[in-house]
Amino acid sequence: MTGGQVLVVSGTGTGVGKTVVTAAVAALARARGERVAVLKPAQTGVGPDEPGDLADVVRLVPGITPRELARYPDPLAPATAARRAGAAPVTPKEAAEAARELAAGHDLVLVEGAGGLLVRFDDDGGTLADTAAALDVPVLVVATAGLGTLNHTALTVEALRARGLTCPGVVVGAWPADPDLAAVCNLVDLPAVTGVPLLGAMPDGAGALPAEEFAVAARHGLAAALGGEWQTAHP
């Protein structure tokens, strides 16, 4: 694929911090002077005039190009939400084409999924993984910090490998101010069980910060592979 770099951002489920991590990667790229676009193929759970995930990214990272292909009011998987709304679903092919178009005029395109990796876009079974495969690009996985994340994250990375997709690493989407024992141990255990590096941990609540403070949080919350300065702390 010609043009700028494309990175897909998925997660182990809903509410794990994908939007914050997407914004953090975008913030570091913007700080390097790159032209950045963020693509949300399908936004669910948001009405026509309500702010969606891209509104948060634009607020946190001024200067990015946002693009949303479709939105559906019910807070459900995109395929289900589209069906209930009587609207056309977004297909993986359409999402890939939109990413290619954006890549032609940007240095970096971030494609943020809805929910987890294998949540259906359409009733034919298309998923975010299919979009990544069509683009032949890596998928960054966002995970939770605490108990239960090892299994969910290992399954997600395994699903990527089974499809021949590359996962550069895992980022914890919301690192608690007072982490419990499970969270602290997961800093070591996540890379061990997934076989991919841990590439950061964004502080819980970072999404509520002003843009300038968020840029600082991004720099310290993401590892060097993503342009930041984060270092894994060992218990």
Side-chain angles (χ1 to χ4, degrees), residues 51-230:
D53 291 339
L54 286 181
D56 289 331
V57 180
V58 169
R59 176 179 56 80
L60 292 168
V61 193
I64 64 115
T65 300
R67 185 169 179 193
E68 179 184 282
L69 299 186
R71 62 168 53 194
Y72 313 106
D74 290 329
L76 302 168
T80 307
R83 192 185 324 121
R84 284 181 52 83
V90 174
T91 67
K93 179 180 179 181
E94 289 168 339
E97 289 174 350
R100 290 190 189 98
E101 290 172 4
L102 289 167
H106 295 82
D107 302 302
L108 175 64
V109 179
L110 300 169
V111 183
E112 183 192 342
L117 178 70
L118 300 185
V119 168
R120 288 187 167 198
F121 276 173
D122 57 33
D123 287 334
D124 291 329
T127 68
L128 185 67
D130 295 314
T131 297
L135 293 165
D136 191 22
V137 297
V139 180
L140 183 69
V141 174
V142 182
T144 58
L147 194 64
T149 198
L150 296 179
N151 182 61
H152 296 155
T153 310
L155 286 171
T156 301
V157 175
E158 185 174 310
L160 289 169
R161 288 200 184 100
R163 288 161 174 77
L165 296 170
T166 301
C167 177
V170 175
V171 176
V172 174
W175 183 256
D178 186 19
D180 61 14
L181 179 62
V184 172
C185 290
N186 285 338
L187 290 175
V188 175
D189 291 342
L190 272 167
V193 303
T194 61
V196 299
L198 187 58
L199 296 181
M202 288 297 295
D204 190 20
L209 294 172
E212 289 185 4
E213 293 180 27
F214 181 79
V216 174
R219 188 171 75 249
H220 292 289
L222 297 181
L226 296 173
E229 301 173 358
W230 181 82

